[in-house]
């Protein structure tokens, strides 16, 4: 008998049984188990149970007597059945487009097909058409961390921040943030006793769970801008002049329009969060970009260019 | 024993049976299209189902599954009237995909997505807003609605574009096939007639766009993150990086990265665009230093000299 057949029969039997079914009864009554010796049956049943649970089939273990010496198994139909979600055909189609654009169709397994059972139109093709849109969300550990965040499960991992030593961290995952092309985990760091952001691509090695689900209360405040850099946050006012060839390009990062300057150059104002980051960005334009103010930023640029000359003799 | 295949079949059957019960007498081809399987696979799945049912397995206990005159019929399977509920992984992935696309402004799918997200969150009893933020804003993204229309209508696009590799601005005619958000930027992907090849154009480097009337016949290519494909003519580069310059490792595709005992990382890479690497090194200097080739060292030096001269004009 095929294993597939045995698994389907096990699901049906456990769903339909009135009282939890002890292993001996499963061996006797469910098609596919009978002919094995006791040890072989045990191994087979353990593996089937584990595989079903991995698929999300809620196989429960329940005590059959008050002492809990004998246990049985069952599947609660209420926990098995998908609740009615009732997506309209265009909503289902939009989800299909989203899975296609993000390249997550494989990872979503049969999720979309499950939702499709309730969604009216039997002929809607589930997004095998190309949309011409792509969003790259790839990052190591993303799925495990999202699961941990959703179920409020504490995690432990080794973290290697740029330029510093690797250390082990135990974190309550509060939020996952995708910003500027990177994924960040925001959570309470038990080793530092503070809220921190972690770049997913700097987690080294596996992410392990360090608690059961529901280990911490939902965080009251999930704003993340204080720990994850936003797209444009500026604190220092800066001014620069740029060559005509790149003025349009710089205008995209500047605050407000530019003002004409000598030789066809343009003056721009900027809001700068980190002078070093800004200096690095400006240096891609080399001599076509001149920082005018503040004096500290201008000095930083001169200092870095001078050092660059020295190490490239 | 092909276990993963068996489990995949089980997953498919557990979602296919409820759908077949909901759509009695559906043509086989429709089943194939929806579940991405062949007619033989449908027949095999139905055959297995015919041996399954309630313990006892007598008449009246077994599922009745058959293909009659090209139409599929499943009966006596009330225990599989509902699909298995979404696993945490499936639910999380669906929400992630939906939230990511919803972060792209002004798509035709936006309204449907917003409603789908609401229904999903209600059904799952989660408020994913509270724990997931996806921000796809990037310089140049104001061009997205215009370019998306050009992609859909397959119209030739004329760009004035500043190439990062050559640090020059030129006009390019592009047959567009996709728009991709990757590495913190948006890219237009397509066939560049001037370069006679597939190219990625970062939207913040686009100065002007004109969507022309000409319809293009570009073969359809799936939108995918830009990747660097090495060419035998590329130049080999070796750089030395102190920790503050390690961000540079995110900007290049390295062949090898070694960390020396003194904490300095040595990165080896190949590039078709030495000028681009020279500007990267200048951006990270003096925490980034060129070990090879000499041509690169000379270019960094020349860029640094020119920049320094901007701040200290030679006397006279």
């Amino acid at each position: 008998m095929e294993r597939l057949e045995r698994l389907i029969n096990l699901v049906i039997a456990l769903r339909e049984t009135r009282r939890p079914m002890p292993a001996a009864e499963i061996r006797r009554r469910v098609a596919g188990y009978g002919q094995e010796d006791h040890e072989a049956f045990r191994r087979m049943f353990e593996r089937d149970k584990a595989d079903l649970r991995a698929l999300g089939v809620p196989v429960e273990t329940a005590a059959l007597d008050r002492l809990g010496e004998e246990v049985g198994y069952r599947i609660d139909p209420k926990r098995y059945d998908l609740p009615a979600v009732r997506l309209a055909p265009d909503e289902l189609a939009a989800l299909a487009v989203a899975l296609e654009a993000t390249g997550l169709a494989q990872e979503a397994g049969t999720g979309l097909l499950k939702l499709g059972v309730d969604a009216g139109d039997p002929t809607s093709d589930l997004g095998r058409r190309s949309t011409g849109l792509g969003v790259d969300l790839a990052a190591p550990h993303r799925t495990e961390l999202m699961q941990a965040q959703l179920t409020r499960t504490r995690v432990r991992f080794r973290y290697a921040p740029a330029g510093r030593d690797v250390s082990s961290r135990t974190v309550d995952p509060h939020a996952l943030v995708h910003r500027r092309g990177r994924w960040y985990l925001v959570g309470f760091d038990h080793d530092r006793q503070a809220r921190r952001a972690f770049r997913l691509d700097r987690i080294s090695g596996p992410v392990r769970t360090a608690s059961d689900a529901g280990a911490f209360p939902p965080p009251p405040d999930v704003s993340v801008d204080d720990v994850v850099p936003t797209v444009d946050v500026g604190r220092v006012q800066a001014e620069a002049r740029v060559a005509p060839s790149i003025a349009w390009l710089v205008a995209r990062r500047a605050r407000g329009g530019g003002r004409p300057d000598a030789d066809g150059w343009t003056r721009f104002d900027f809001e700068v969060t980190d002078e070093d980051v800004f200096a690095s960005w400006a240096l891609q334009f080399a001599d076509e970009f001149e920082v005018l103010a503040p004096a500290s930023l201008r000095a930083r640029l001169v200092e870095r260019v001078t050092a660059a000359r020295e190490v490239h003799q | 024993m092909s276990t993963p295949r068996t489990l995949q079949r089980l997953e498919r059957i557990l979602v296919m049976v409820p759908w077949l019960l909901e759509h009695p007498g559906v043509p086989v081809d429709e089943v194939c299209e929806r579940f991405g399987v062949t007619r033989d696979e449908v027949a095999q799945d139905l055959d297995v189902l015919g041996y399954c049912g309630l313990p006892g397995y007598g008449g009246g206990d077994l599922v009745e599954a058959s293909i009659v005159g090209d139409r599929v019929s499943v009966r006596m399977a009330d225990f599989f009237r509902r699909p298995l509920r979404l696993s945490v992984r499936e639910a999380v992935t669906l929400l992630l995909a939906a939230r990511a696309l919803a972060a792209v402004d002004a798509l035709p799918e936006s309204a449907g997505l917003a409603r789908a997200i609401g229904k999903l969150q209600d059904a799952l009893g989660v408020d994913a807003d509270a724990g997931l933020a996806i921000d796809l804003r990037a310089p140049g993204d104001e061009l997205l609605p215009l370019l998306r229309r050009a992609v859909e209508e397959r119209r030739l696009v004329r760009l004035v574009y500043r190439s990062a590799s050559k640090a020059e601005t030129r006009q390019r005619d592009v047959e567009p096939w996709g728009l991709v958000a990757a590495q913190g930027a948006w890219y237009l992907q397509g066939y560049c007639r001037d370069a006679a090849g597939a190219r990625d154009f970062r939207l913040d480097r686009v100065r002007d766009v004109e969507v022309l009337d000409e319809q293009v016949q570009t073969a359809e290519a799936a939108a995918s993150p830009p990747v660097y494909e090495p060419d035998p003519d590329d130049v080999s580069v070796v750089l030395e990086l102190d920790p503050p310059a390690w961000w540079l490792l995110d900007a290049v595709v390295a062949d090898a990265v070694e960390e020396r005992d003194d904490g300095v990382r040595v990165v080896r890479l190949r590039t078709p665009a030495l000028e681009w690497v020279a500007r990267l090194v200048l951006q990270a200097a003096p925490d980034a230093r060129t070990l090879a080739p000499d041509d690169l060292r000379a270019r960094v030096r020349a860029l640094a000299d020119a920049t320094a001269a901007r701040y200290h004009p030679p006397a006279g």
Side-chain angles (χ1 to χ4, degrees):
Chain A
M1 155 161 324
E2 267 191 73
R3 176 160 190 244
L4 177 61
E5 214 175 295
R6 185 177 79 223
L7 287 167
I8 295 172
N9 278 319
L10 181 61
V11 174
I12 296 172
L14 295 184
R15 244 191 88 106
E16 299 302 302
T17 186
R18 292 220 174 110
R19 60 189 282 272
M21 204 184 264
E25 189 182 338
I26 291 171
R27 185 179 173 204
R28 198 172 65 244
R29 294 190 59 208
V30 177
Y33 287 113
Q35 53 283 67
E36 309 299 326
D37 68 51
H38 185 73
E39 240 341 276
F41 163 75
R42 264 286 164 210
R43 281 199 306 274
M44 199 183 238
F45 177 60
E46 288 304 318
R47 181 161 154 247
D48 289 353
K49 209 164 38 139
D51 281 346
L52 286 178
R53 283 177 176 157
L55 287 188
V57 179
V59 179
E60 294 167 16
T61 309
L64 289 172
D65 55 33
R66 269 200 281 175
L67 296 174
E69 279 175 356
E70 201 189 357
V71 297
Y73 303 90
R74 70 182 297 250
I75 294 168
D76 179 356
K78 285 203 274 306
R79 288 186 57 210
Y80 176 100
D81 289 354
L82 177 73
V85 181
R86 300 206 192 290
L87 296 179
D90 70 314
E91 295 162 7
L92 189 72
L95 277 183
V97 169
L99 286 177
E100 205 271 341
T102 51
L104 290 172
Q106 198 73 32
E107 208 174 310
T110 53
L112 193 67
L113 290 168
K114 288 174 178 175
L115 296 174
V117 171
D118 287 335
D121 182 13
T123 56
S124 71
D125 84 334
L126 290 178
R128 287 184 194 99
R129 84 187 172 91
S130 168
T131 55
L133 259 187
V135 177
D136 183 11
L137 297 171
H141 314 301
R142 191 200 61 223
T143 309
E144 301 105 277
L145 288 171
M146 280 185 71
Q147 289 198 20
Q149 185 271 327
L150 209 61
T151 54
R152 287 184 278 119
T153 306
R154 192 163 297 150
V155 290
R156 186 173 297 142
F157 51 80
R158 292 176 64 71
Y159 191 64
R164 275 176 288 148
D165 288 339
V166 180
S167 57
S168 171
R169 307 295 183 95
T170 304
V171 177
D172 294 348
H174 292 170
L176 278 137
V177 182
H178 179 86
R179 190 172 271 174
R180 303 212 287 192
R182 294 216 171 86
W183 278 103
Y184 299 84
L185 166 70
V186 176
F188 184 79
D189 180 339
H190 285 269
D191 302 289
R192 301 288 186 277
Q193 285 295 305
R195 229 162 88 90
R196 289 288 159 88
F198 303 91
R199 256 176 68 173
L200 266 57
D201 59 348
R202 291 191 170 146
I203 292 176
S204 81
V207 171
R208 300 181 201 282
T209 56
S211 77
D212 292 330
F216 52 92
D221 170 22
V222 289
S223 78
V224 293
D225 290 351
D226 55 331
V227 280
V228 180
T230 56
V231 176
D232 280 308
V233 183
R235 294 187 189 109
V236 179
Q237 302 296 310
E239 190 184 17
R241 57 192 296 270
V242 308
S245 55
I246 56 158
W248 59 275
L249 184 60
V250 171
R252 295 235 157 88
R253 300 274 170 126
R255 191 171 55 79
R259 300 174 299 284
D261 198 46
D263 308 325
W265 284 43
T266 311
R267 277 183 190 237
F268 287 103
D269 294 322
F270 301 88
E271 286 178 1
V272 174
T273 311
D274 181 317
E275 290 197 348
D276 268 321
V277 171
F278 186 82
S280 286
W281 175 75
L283 279 170
Q284 71 179 297
F285 304 113
D287 62 332
E288 293 178 302
F289 192 109
E290 181 183 354
V291 173
L292 300 171
S296 60
L297 182 58
R298 193 176 157 93
R300 184 79 56 100
L301 227 104
V302 170
E303 183 187 307
R304 287 183 47 173
V305 170
T306 309
R309 294 168 82 191
E310 277 162 13
V311 298
H312 285 89
Q313 291 293 345
Chain B
M1 221 183 314
S2 56
T3 302
R5 210 183 92 78
T6 301
L7 295 179
Q8 271 172 22
R9 275 182 83 190
L10 177 63
E11 260 196 302
R12 181 171 77 224
I13 288 172
L14 292 182
V15 65
M16 190 164 83
V17 174
W19 190 76
L20 290 171
L21 290 170
E22 199 76 20
H23 301 97
V26 69
V28 185
D29 287 341
E30 248 181 73
V31 182
C32 294
E33 195 190 318
R34 188 173 192 89
F35 295 93
V37 288
T38 64
R39 295 173 69 94
D40 279 351
E41 287 173 308
V42 175
Q44 285 163 16
D45 285 355
L46 294 179
D47 191 46
V48 168
L49 270 170
Y51 292 96
C52 298
L54 294 164
Y57 310 103
D61 294 327
L62 293 175
V63 175
E64 288 177 15
S66 58
I67 300 177
V68 181
D70 218 35
R71 289 180 176 272
V72 180
S73 153
V74 173
R75 296 176 57 234
M76 303 289 289
D78 263 5
F79 30 76
F80 287 149
R81 184 149 293 280
R82 295 296 302 159
L84 177 59
R85 69 176 50 218
L86 297 173
S87 67
V88 175
R89 182 191 179 90
E90 288 171 345
V92 156
T93 308
L94 281 166
L95 275 174
L96 170 64
R99 295 284 305 282
L101 206 65
V104 185
D105 281 339
L107 292 180
E109 294 85 6
S110 296
L113 265 183
R115 279 182 274 118
I117 292 170
K119 287 182 185 180
L120 266 179
Q121 290 185 177
D122 287 350
L124 298 168
V126 298
D127 177 10
D129 285 355
L132 179 62
I134 298 174
D135 186 350
L136 297 174
R137 287 175 300 157
D141 61 2
E142 70 276 6
L143 300 175
L144 284 174
L146 178 72
L147 290 173
R148 169 120 157 127
R149 223 168 29 248
V151 169
E152 293 220 312
E153 295 169 8
R154 324 202 104 210
R155 303 257 298 274
L156 186 66
V157 172
R158 180 162 292 166
L159 305 179
V160 178
Y161 186 75
R162 178 177 171 91
S163 107
S165 55
K166 299 197 188 72
E168 65 177 19
T169 305
R170 279 202 299 121
Q171 180 176 301
R172 316 281 200 113
D173 282 357
V174 179
E175 303 178 5
W177 62 61
L179 287 158
V180 172
Q183 295 136 34
W186 276 97
Y187 296 84
L188 174 71
Q189 300 191 312
Y191 176 83
C192 176
R193 289 187 179 171
D194 301 272
R199 290 289 184 275
D200 303 313
F201 300 94
R202 227 173 75 178
L203 297 195
D204 63 333
R205 296 181 167 276
V206 173
R207 193 179 77 190
D208 295 311
V209 190
E210 193 184 346
V211 179
L212 304 182
D213 289 333
E214 184 181 339
Q215 292 254 329
V216 295
Q217 299 297 323
T218 317
E220 193 157 320
S224 58
V227 286
Y228 163 66
E229 281 158 21
D231 185 277
D233 293 338
D234 291 354
V235 183
S236 291
V237 168
V238 188
L239 305 175
E240 225 178 41
L241 306 177
D242 291 339
W246 287 357
W247 62 264
L248 204 144
L249 295 170
D250 290 329
V252 300
V253 179
D255 286 337
V257 182
E258 260 174 77
E259 189 162 332
R260 291 193 320 229
D261 291 341
D262 59 2
V264 172
R265 289 188 183 174
V266 176
V267 55
R268 289 165 201 281
L269 58 107
R270 281 163 297 161
T271 179
L274 216 49
E275 179 65 21
W276 171 68
V277 179
R279 282 169 189 261
L280 269 183
V281 172
L282 181 67
Q283 283 179 261
D287 299 310
R289 296 172 293 278
T290 306
L291 294 183
D294 288 341
D295 185 12
L296 178 62
R297 190 179 302 112
R299 280 176 193 246
V300 178
R301 166 84 197 188
L303 283 171
D305 284 349
T307 311
R310 179 70 58 205
Y311 291 89
H312 302 289

